[in-house]
Amino acid sequence: MKKIIFPKPLKKGAKIAVISPAGAVDPSQLEKGINMIKSRGFEPVLGEHLYSKFSNGYNYAGTEQERIKDINWALNDKEISAVWASRGGYGCQHLVQHLKLKNFTENPKWYIGYSDNTVIQSYLLKKGFASIHGQTIKTSSFGVTDDSYNLIFDILQGKAPEYSLQSHQFNKKGRIEGEVVGGNLALIYALLGTSYSFECKDKILFIEDIGENFYALDRMIMSLELAGVFKKIKGLIVGGMTNMGDEKDNKDYEASFDEFAYKLISERISKYKFPVLFGFPNGHIKDNRPLIIGGTAKIQVGPKVKIEF
């Protein structure tokens, strides 16, 4: 079993690269987040193509070559101590075959993001490096809590997160300890069968998603079932399921934790005995609290839920 490498804690004054590996962003959308990095005593260093735009069926933050250049610079520049994605969207799959880690392996650094960034985080974990599945620099339309960012800065400075949560009706009780893998369900699904897919044996799988029709959600869960994922994992954490289903028919589509989506997932995995935690506050939601991908978590699912890294 490969030992997971964790980056060194950041010291004040450390440089944090801000890049756009997927969707396009405007400067106004990142102003608050970049100022926040400065206010915490760190130095944001903006990628050359952070605000570039390239339209090709989707508004990307530059061409594939431009985005590849930025991410490889950020990962390998010896002066950079962490890499923070501006946003997700779509486009990280274009980059994954071209990632270089020559200097990164000598100077591992935290990669921070969620949504489409699941692809990059899966790649890094395959290479043996932990990352932070947490809020991007761009604040979402539904807002972001202070703790969503505070907890990321805690991790960057060497403090592991701990969480206490209320129980959920679909939870399955139990105690587990294992390495956390996963992220956005659509990207976990998109990587199945490739050399970049997460290894799931004896792992705790985390999933979250946004804007999927219920039949598409079911299709993705069925694909994990057919791939044998649920036979391999120790436990499952289900985060935000936002804007799910047909918005015209689903009156609760704006809920962060769509109950019908949860019911569908619960039914599909009902035959498995591993503990399951629903309602973890991570995903395309306002209260987006970070998880450490590759981190070992101790989880107790009962009348109360506790998670310790």
Side-chain angles (χ1 to χ4, degrees), residues 175-289:
R175 292 173 181 256
I176 44 173
E177 180 176 349
E179 184 182 305
V180 176
V181 303
N184 183 262
L185 177 60
L187 276 306
I188 297 169
Y189 164 75
L191 292 175
L192 278 179
T194 75
S195 60
Y196 305 103
S197 181
F198 286 108
E199 171 56 55
C200 290
K201 184 173 175 56
D202 295 328
K203 304 297 192 295
I204 299 171
L205 178 64
F206 167 72
I207 59 173
E208 63 86 25
D209 221 318
I210 185 172
E212 297 287 355
N213 284 316
F214 291 129
Y215 73 84
L217 171 62
D218 185 67
R219 179 172 57 207
M220 291 188 286
I221 295 296
M222 278 302 307
S223 288
L224 268 61
E225 162 76 12
L226 296 172
V229 169
F230 298 129
K231 293 179 181 178
K232 298 177 181 179
I233 61 175
K234 278 186 174 181
L236 179 66
I237 303 172
V238 185
M241 292 285 162
T242 313
N243 292 7
M244 305 296 284
D246 188 330
E247 296 182 6
K248 294 179 182 178
D249 297 332
N250 178 17
K251 295 180 181 179
D252 296 325
Y253 73 91
E254 290 184 346
S256 295
F257 305 104
D258 186 284
E259 287 298 307
F260 187 80
Y262 278 8
K263 179 175 180 290
L264 189 155
I265 295 168
S266 179
E267 289 172 349
R268 283 293 177 203
I269 61 172
S270 61
K271 67 181 179 181
Y272 297 99
K273 304 301 182 184
F274 52 73
V276 184
L277 161 58
F278 284 87
F280 185 83
N282 182 297
H284 292 74
I285 57 180
K286 183 176 181 179
D287 191 19
N288 186 11
R289 300 183 176 225

Side-chain angles (χ1 to χ4, degrees), residues 160-164 176-178 180 204 280 291-292 295-300 305-309:
E162 297 181 4
Y163 300 110
S164 295
I176 44 173
E177 180 176 349
V180 176
I204 299 171
F280 185 83
L291 290 169
I292 301 176
T296 297
K298 294 180 180 179
I299 302 178
Q300 177 182 329
V305 177
K306 293 184 178 181
I307 303 178
E308 297 179 353
F309 279 91

Side-chain angles (χ1 to χ4, degrees), residues 6-298:
F6 293 80
K8 296 177 182 178
L10 272 64
K11 297 179 180 179
K12 295 296 183 181
K15 295 180 178 180
I16 298 177
V18 181
I19 61 169
S20 296
V25 291
D26 294 320
S28 61
Q29 295 175 308
L30 304 188
E31 183 178 358
K32 182 178 179 181
I34 289 172
N35 286 335
M36 174 188 61
I37 292 174
K38 295 177 182 177
S39 71
R40 298 302 184 105
F42 302 106
E43 181 183 344
V45 183
L46 310 188
E48 180 182 355
H49 303 288
L50 178 65
Y51 300 120
S52 295
K53 293 184 179 180
F54 174 70
S55 181
N56 188 29
Y58 180 77
N59 290 324
Y60 299 102
T63 64
E64 291 180 25
Q65 291 72 26
E66 289 171 337
R67 289 180 285 124
I68 290 166
K69 181 181 179 182
D70 274 13
I71 193 169
N72 279 329
W73 156 74
L75 291 173
N76 291 286
D77 190 303
K78 294 180 179 179
E79 293 188 357
I80 299 297
S81 298
V83 184
W84 208 327
S86 68
R87 61 162 293 186
Y90 174 68
C92 288
Q93 282 181 300
H94 299 149
L95 317 183
V96 70
Q97 298 180 81
H98 308 284
L99 295 181
K100 309 294 183 185
L101 295 181
K102 183 178 180 180
N103 292 335
F104 181 94
T105 56
E106 300 172 5
N107 180 34
K109 55 197 76 175
W110 286 113
Y111 186 93
I112 309 147
Y114 76 116
S115 190
D116 199 57
N117 291 282
T118 293
V119 173
I120 308 300
Q121 294 169 325
S122 182
Y123 173 90
L124 290 174
L125 191 60
K126 294 282 282 190
K127 298 294 183 180
F129 299 98
S131 62
I132 300 172
H133 191 277
Q135 182 61 40
T136 52
I137 296 295
K138 177 188 173 185
T139 54
S140 306
S141 58
F142 34 76
V144 182
T145 63
D146 289 340
D147 274 348
S148 298
Y149 284 123
N150 291 338
L151 290 163
I152 290 175
F153 282 105
D154 283 348
I155 297 171
L156 291 178
Q157 295 174 91
K159 182 181 178 181
E162 297 181 4
Y163 300 110
S164 295
L165 309 170
Q166 296 297 317
S167 187
H168 189 280
Q169 62 173 324
F170 293 135
N171 281 0
K172 283 188 178 180
K173 296 179 181 180
R175 292 173 181 256
I176 44 173
E177 180 176 349
E179 184 182 305
V180 176
V181 303
N184 183 262
L185 177 60
L187 276 306
I188 297 169
Y189 164 75
L191 292 175
L192 278 179
T194 75
S195 60
Y196 305 103
S197 181
F198 286 108
E199 171 56 55
C200 290
K201 184 173 175 56
D202 295 328
K203 304 297 192 295
I204 299 171
L205 178 64
F206 167 72
I207 59 173
E208 63 86 25
D209 221 318
I210 185 172
E212 297 287 355
N213 284 316
F214 291 129
Y215 73 84
L217 171 62
D218 185 67
R219 179 172 57 207
M220 291 188 286
I221 295 296
M222 278 302 307
S223 288
L224 268 61
E225 162 76 12
L226 296 172
V229 169
F230 298 129
K231 293 179 181 178
K232 298 177 181 179
I233 61 175
K234 278 186 174 181
L236 179 66
I237 303 172
V238 185
M241 292 285 162
T242 313
N243 292 7
M244 305 296 284
D246 188 330
E247 296 182 6
K248 294 179 182 178
D249 297 332
N250 178 17
K251 295 180 181 179
D252 296 325
Y253 73 91
E254 290 184 346
S256 295
F257 305 104
D258 186 284
E259 287 298 307
F260 187 80
Y262 278 8
K263 179 175 180 290
L264 189 155
I265 295 168
S266 179
E267 289 172 349
R268 283 293 177 203
I269 61 172
S270 61
K271 67 181 179 181
Y272 297 99
K273 304 301 182 184
F274 52 73
V276 184
L277 161 58
F278 284 87
F280 185 83
N282 182 297
H284 292 74
I285 57 180
K286 183 176 181 179
D287 191 19
N288 186 11
R289 300 183 176 225
L291 290 169
I292 301 176
I293 301 299
T296 297
K298 294 180 180 179

